[in-house]
Amino acid sequence: KGNVLFLNLGGDGAYKVHIKSDVDEYTGSLFLNVPSGKVFIGAGEDVTGGDLEPDDSDAISGEFITLEPGSYEVKYKKQDSDVLISFAKATCIENSLEEGVYL
């Protein structure tokens, strides 16, 4: 439904996320619904889900960014320990995936 995007980076470690105006030669793109205008970018274990919450606010490794509410095409690419992503306004609000995204 485009309400959350998880990108499997292939292993644990420290990754730096770069938000760009556009990502050249991107690996893929998905659509993200952003009704609140807030997007959390961080580790999957720091995302609320089911009856689980992140364990300790001191250990959360991510932050919120603010976008205009709406639907976005999110392009992504991994370069070594850097993850490049961009957000562009879009009209589509759903994805069709057979398996997860692996970078």
Side-chain angles (χ1 to χ4, degrees):
K1 293 183 179 181
N3 294 323
V4 64
L5 300 179
F6 290 102
L7 304 176
N8 186 329
L9 299 175
D12 291 338
Y15 296 92
K16 186 165 185 163
V17 176
H18 301 273
I19 299 173
K20 304 286 200 175
S21 59
D22 196 16
V23 176
D24 296 329
E25 299 178 21
Y26 56 93
T27 303
S29 70
L30 292 167
F31 295 97
L32 180 65
N33 185 27
V34 184
S36 70
K38 291 178 67 176
V39 176
F40 176 76
I41 298 177
E45 59 267 19
D46 292 334
V47 175
T48 299
D51 292 329
L52 301 175
E53 295 288 334
D55 293 12
D56 184 328
S57 62
D58 292 338
I60 292 176
S61 59
E63 61 184 67
F64 284 94
I65 64 168
T66 302
L67 299 171
E68 181 180 323
S71 180
Y72 289 84
E73 178 185 20
V74 180
K75 294 178 184 175
Y76 51 85
K77 174 169 79 172
K78 179 180 162 197
Q79 291 180 322
D80 302 316
S81 62
D82 292 335
V83 179
L84 311 177
I85 59 175
S86 67
F87 296 87
K89 285 291 251 175
T91 56
C92 185
I93 58 171
E94 290 192 18
N95 297 297
S96 177
L97 293 173
E98 304 255 338
E99 17 180 277
V101 176
Y102 297 89
L103 299 177

